[in-house]
Amino acid sequence: MPNALSSPLSRRGVLAAGGAVGLGVALAACGSGDDGTKDAGAGGDAKAGPWSFEDDRGETAKADSVPKSIVAFTGTAAALHDYGIEVKGVFGPTTTKDGKPDIQAGDLDVTKVEILGNVWGEFNVEKYAALAPDLLVTAQWVEGELWYVPEQSKDKILKLAPSVALWAAETTVPKAVQRHADLAESLGADLKAAKVTDAKARFEKAAGRLRAAAKSKPEIRVLVGSASQDLFYVSLAKMSADTLYFQELGVQFVEPKVNSQGFFEELSWENIDKYPADIIMMDNRSSALQPDALTSKPTWARLPAVKAGQVVPRVTEPIYSYDKCAPILDDLAAAIEKARKVA
């Protein structure tokens, strides 16, 4: 994993590899049913006629009709799925080495989508073209750059269909969820369906719980970390949609001395005790080392939060639907409610 971020592209590479914890949850599959949710397919319930959508780059994607052959970054596809909008192809972490769905796939049936790329830098342009895409959708972590769309083939890819990019950084969870809902609605989703409104209610309740937990224990400090074999990364909360929102709700975070890119600080394993913390949130992506793989690191085992069992997962790349975000808020609230001051 690179430890120097000399350009936006290298920064994206580090993010994808799991190091950038500073940049940075589902409705059940929405088929036709008794709850009123409509099977929109890929925009099948949208109005006929010209379609357009202004994305977070300020660019407007246009088509003669509502896109039906949609290809999306896996996490974005999972969010659209939660609103009843299905995609034909995905790119980004979709399946693990044993063939199971990656955590970023959410409730997607990964056997029913064309996987164009499963790792950073992988995107099969020929397979993409064969899908006759109407729309490409992905996230934007760095302004103007399309998440998991390789720079070397970007021009070829973007010639084949209109594209939409939605912020995953420099925003907050409610704003990101709303933007994904806006896109889904433009593609035919019914945002008044019971599954959507019920999920939104759960999200709002969970946000209230986290606010109350943070207010009741202002002394608890949370460190957001991600591990690689050689380095431990500590993020700056305000740089990521999830942790910025948690901060707005009152959660107190460790503030690292970030590098020149402003997102996180790299620490050697000998120095990971630099910042006292009562709770450690660890990057849960498959590209990052998980806590059970860190038992051989003596400095990790000596951290007060680790000794106290106050290490919790962090959904570093949330699936931006109300149903997936609600449990993230509830889980952090529960961790703070149970936490004791140890640092």
Side-chain angles (χ1 to χ4, degrees):
M1 175 180 296
N3 58 13
L5 304 180
S6 58
S7 69
L9 178 58
S10 65
R11 181 183 354 173
R12 293 167 73 227
V14 172
L15 293 177
V21 296
L23 295 187
V25 118
L27 295 175
C30 295
S32 57
D34 296 337
D35 60 2
T37 306
K38 300 174 183 178
D39 185 1
D45 199 49
K47 295 180 180 178
W51 172 89
S52 67
F53 184 84
E54 184 176 353
D55 73 1
D56 292 348
R57 297 171 296 178
E59 298 183 9
T60 300
K62 298 179 180 180
D64 292 336
S65 60
V66 175
K68 298 182 181 300
S69 182
I70 303 169
V71 173
F73 169 68
T74 304
T76 309
L80 291 175
H81 169 83
D82 289 350
Y83 292 109
I85 303 300
E86 305 299 345
V87 304
K88 287 190 175 180
V90 296
F91 53 95
T94 307
T95 58
T96 58
K97 292 180 179 179
D98 58 5
K100 295 180 180 179
D102 187 274
I103 193 167
Q104 294 189 58
D107 290 337
L108 281 178
D109 185 342
V110 298
T111 67
K112 293 184 178 180
V113 292
E114 184 75 56
I115 301 174
L116 306 179
N118 201 48
V119 297
W120 182 258
E122 184 178 270
F123 192 114
N124 191 311
V125 181
E126 289 73 23
K127 285 185 177 181
Y128 177 57
L131 292 174
D134 297 324
L135 181 64
L136 176 80
V137 188
T138 189
Q140 178 181 239
W141 286 87
V142 178
E143 187 173 2
E145 297 189 17
L146 303 180
W147 193 231
Y148 271 81
V149 176
E151 286 291 322
Q152 63 270 23
S153 54
K154 181 177 70 173
D155 291 344
K156 292 181 181 179
I157 293 167
L158 295 183
K159 287 179 180 178
L160 295 172
S163 63
V164 165
L166 299 178
W167 271 120
E170 300 187 30
T171 185
T172 63
V173 170
K175 292 178 181 178
V177 169
Q178 184 60 58
R179 290 295 287 150
H180 284 71
D182 291 343
L183 176 60
E185 185 175 37
S186 81
L187 295 169
D190 180 7
L191 299 188
K192 294 181 180 179
K195 284 187 175 182
V196 179
T197 57
D198 289 352
K200 185 175 182 179
R202 291 196 301 274
F203 174 86
E204 292 171 347
K205 182 179 180 180
R209 179 185 178 186
L210 180 54
R211 183 183 291 107
K215 184 177 181 180
S216 69
K217 291 189 175 181
E219 74 280 6
I220 297 298
R221 290 294 183 274
V222 180
L223 181 149
V224 185
S226 184
S228 72
Q229 191 61 44
D230 299 320
L231 293 170
F232 186 77
Y233 300 82
V234 182
S235 76
L236 186 61
K238 69 179 183 179
M239 299 303 291
S240 184
D242 60 332
T243 47
L244 173 57
Y245 184 50
F246 303 156
Q247 197 170 47
E248 291 179 350
L249 292 175
V251 178
Q252 302 297 311
F253 284 97
V254 165
E255 295 193 4
K257 296 180 180 179
V258 295
N259 62 25
S260 60
Q261 297 293 343
F263 295 102
F264 56 89
E265 179 179 1
E266 306 99 325
L267 299 176
S268 66
W269 282 100
E270 291 76 15
N271 295 312
I272 65 168
D273 60 354
K274 180 176 180 179
Y275 298 106
D278 305 295
I279 294 174
I280 300 176
M281 298 180 69
M282 289 293 289
D283 186 345
N284 75 335
R285 292 178 295 180
S286 57
S287 53
L289 292 181
Q290 299 305 304
D292 59 2
L294 302 178
T295 54
S296 63
K297 305 283 188 184
T299 50
W300 169 259
R302 291 197 293 265
L303 293 176
V306 176
K307 287 182 177 180
Q310 295 178 177
V311 177
V312 298
R314 179 206 175 191
V315 182
T316 305
E317 292 189 50
I319 294 169
Y320 287 116
S321 66
Y322 288 112
D323 192 74
K324 291 296 190 298
C325 287
I328 294 175
L329 299 173
D330 269 328
D331 289 347
L332 182 55
I336 293 174
E337 289 164 356
K338 298 174 184 176
R340 56 190 177 88
K341 186 70 180 175
V342 295

